[in-house]
Amino acid sequence: MNSKPKIVVLGAGYAGLKTTKELTKLFTPEEADIILVNKHNYHYESTWLHEVAAGTINPNQARFMISDVINPNRVRLIYDLVEKVDTENQRVVLENGELTYDYLVFALGFETNTFGIKGMAENAFSIVDIESSRLIREHIELKFAQYNNNPNSKDSDLTILVGGAGFTGIEFIGELVERVPQLCKKYDIDRRKVRIINVEAMPSILPMFDKDLVEYAKKSLSDRGVEFRLGAAINECTEDSFIIGDDNEEIKAGTIVWTGGVTGSSVLGESGFELTRGKVTVNSDLRAPGFDNVFVLGDCAWVMDEKAGRPFPPTAQAAMQHADVCARNVKALVHGGPLEDFVFHDRGTVASLGVTDGIASVFDGKSLKGKSAAAMKKVVDNRSIFLLGGTKTLLKKGKLRPF
């Protein structure tokens, strides 16, 4: 009879993959069985998906094989879709089977949240994973390819409409201003015919940054042709437009991308966890309330900042810090030691505005703009690749080339 505890990790994003790596360091094969479940056989850098969607990097650059960084002889790798967690019986229901657990780490990542905007889910693209990002890339290029060859083409077919002015939306737009001139040259299109329009209900972009950095970002993108419609709520998304504002203005477009919100995996709700805006508000030790052996991490968790009275932002750096604490707490549960509370170490915030431009707040609030911020963004991206995949993956996938 197998008396070893079975530790099951759901999801191979930043939190799940990092947790798995740490568990293999903390447990010998004789101490615990570790199982990692993921839909795909690869991990993708979700903070690079906007580049895939815009077409400025190849989809393969943003992902690497899980078996290249996790030894299949040490960790059982299951590539399947998680449908539900039966917490009462400590069982995970998969599309093609099921498995039991003694300790569970729930890190299935995010899904798009359209906040109930009419037609958004049906008519807009979303940047969710490699395939959805690749689809946006191909759709945009198709619109350019068809423009001079289809007698029914309209100038609005070249308009790219982006809903939401948070990280994903603005970084996506920053890549688009790099990509559009290349597409115009490739398909012999006047750049002035292409419009990139950002619509945001809030009065500002990138609310997590200081005002001077926000103004810099807005001016940088505006100078490169981006149009901003701020303080304009999206009332409806049709097949080829946003309808916005109090006067129901219609903005036509050939490509519509929604980046305005995400929520935790819908499997949380299917599994009966208590949710707040689609996520679990976890205890200070990252366990789900009411469960001694279930941890919820990354985009599926609200981790409270007690000093600020609000959750920490669900960033990649936070997710990997969740992983470190979670792995140590699993070890403490198995061996009977004390559990530790999560403490977030803020290493700064960086947003790219294209290949050679960006803004950053780092080193206890020091502001960076332009090329220095873009360089810092590369450092952050490379650090993530190194922490998850090691030196070999960094050399293969990292952004090591200078500007």
Side-chain angles (χ1 to χ4, degrees):
M1 181 176 178
N2 184 5
S3 60
K4 290 189 294 183
K6 185 186 293 185
I7 307 167
V8 175
V9 180
L10 304 181
Y14 294 110
L17 190 61
K18 186 69 160 55
T19 299
T20 304
K21 289 197 69 176
E22 294 306 310
L23 288 172
T24 62
K25 298 175 185 176
L26 295 173
F27 290 97
T28 66
E30 293 74 32
E31 287 181 301
D33 289 330
I34 303 170
I35 301 170
L36 175 61
V37 182
N38 196 61
K39 180 180 178 181
H40 305 290
N41 62 357
Y42 56 83
H43 161 88
Y44 58 84
E45 293 286 293
S46 60
T47 58
W48 298 11
L49 290 177
H50 62 281
E51 298 173 73
V52 177
T56 51
I57 67 171
N58 186 290
N60 285 329
Q61 186 179 340
R63 63 182 175 183
F64 54 83
M65 302 300 289
I66 295 171
S67 58
D68 285 346
V69 299
I70 299 292
N71 183 353
N73 296 319
R74 178 68 183 87
V75 176
R76 182 182 172 195
L77 301 177
I78 298 177
Y79 304 123
D80 205 343
L81 187 68
V82 178
E83 294 186 340
K84 180 182 178 181
V85 176
D86 176 3
T87 53
E88 184 175 348
N89 297 299
Q90 297 191 175
R91 183 173 65 103
V92 179
V93 180
L94 307 174
E95 186 176 52
N96 298 296
E98 61 180 55
L99 64 154
T100 58
Y101 63 85
D102 295 302
Y103 301 95
L104 182 72
V105 179
F106 195 109
L108 285 177
F110 67 87
E111 296 178 8
T112 297
N113 186 356
T114 62
F115 301 106
I117 298 173
K118 183 179 178 181
M120 191 66 76
E122 296 80 10
N123 297 315
F125 293 103
S126 293
I127 300 173
V128 178
D129 53 24
I130 289 288
E131 294 308 317
S132 64
S133 301
R134 190 206 304 266
L135 188 60
I136 295 169
R137 167 198 185 116
E138 293 174 351
H139 177 85
I140 291 172
E141 180 142 5
L142 179 62
K143 288 295 181 181
F144 278 75
Q146 289 177 333
Y147 182 75
N148 285 326
N149 297 296
N150 185 345
N152 297 318
S153 291
K154 308 178 293 293
D155 283 354
S156 62
D157 291 340
L158 298 176
T159 296
I160 303 170
L161 198 52
V162 180
F167 259 103
T168 302
I170 295 303
E171 290 195 316
F172 175 53
I173 288 167
E175 297 301 311
L176 286 176
V177 296
E178 305 273 355
R179 180 63 172 157
V180 162
Q182 298 171 2
L183 291 172
C184 288
K185 183 176 181 180
K186 182 176 181 178
Y187 294 106
D188 195 24
I189 292 171
D190 185 344
R191 170 64 181 88
R192 292 170 294 183
K193 290 186 176 183
V194 183
R195 300 176 70 191
I196 303 170
I197 306 174
N198 180 229
V199 180
E200 168 58 51
M202 300 296 288
S204 177
I205 68 172
L206 297 172
M208 65 291 297
F209 286 99
D210 291 338
K211 185 177 179 180
D212 63 325
L213 291 177
V214 170
E215 288 304 314
Y216 173 88
K218 186 179 175 184
K219 183 178 187 304
S220 171
L221 294 172
S222 296
D223 288 348
R224 288 179 283 168
V226 177
E227 303 172 42
F228 289 99
R229 303 298 300 273
L230 305 179
I234 301 170
N235 304 320
E236 182 180 353
C237 176
T238 73
E239 289 185 1
D240 62 352
S241 71
F242 278 164
I243 298 174
I244 69 169
D246 295 337
D247 57 354
N248 285 323
E249 176 190 358
E250 185 173 29
I251 304 175
K252 293 279 190 177
T255 304
I256 301 174
V257 181
W258 170 249
T259 68
V262 298
T263 188
S265 167
S266 57
V267 177
L268 287 170
E270 295 292 333
S271 304
F273 290 100
E274 183 178 340
L275 303 180
T276 302
R277 288 182 289 160
K279 303 185 181 187
V280 175
T281 302
V282 297
N283 298 330
S284 57
D285 57 17
L286 303 178
R287 287 186 291 183
F291 297 95
D292 293 334
N293 62 340
V294 178
F295 294 83
V296 181
L297 312 181
D299 289 308
C300 292
W302 290 122
V303 183
M304 291 302 297
D305 180 349
E306 299 299 338
K307 292 182 180 178
R310 61 176 182 268
F312 290 108
T315 60
Q317 67 165 314
M320 287 193 281
Q321 290 181 37
H322 294 173
D324 293 337
V325 174
C326 174
R328 291 194 293 268
N329 280 346
V330 171
K331 182 180 180 181
L333 286 175
V334 172
H335 292 296
L339 274 68
E340 65 180 271
D341 290 342
F342 175 77
V343 178
F344 179 56
H345 301 285
D346 189 356
R347 297 187 172 92
T349 307
V350 187
S352 65
L353 303 172
V355 176
T356 61
D357 200 4
I359 57 173
S361 177
V362 295
F363 310 128
D364 296 323
K366 178 179 174 60
S367 295
L368 299 176
K369 304 173 184 176
K371 284 190 175 182
S372 60
M376 180 59 67
K377 174 69 172 177
K378 285 190 174 185
V379 171
V380 171
D381 287 347
N382 287 335
R383 182 175 185 272
S384 168
I385 285 286
F386 174 75
L387 289 174
L388 292 172
T391 303
K392 183 178 178 181
T393 303
L394 173 62
L395 293 174
K396 188 175 181 181
K397 301 289 185 178
K399 298 176 179 179
L400 303 176
R401 290 178 295 178
F403 297 130

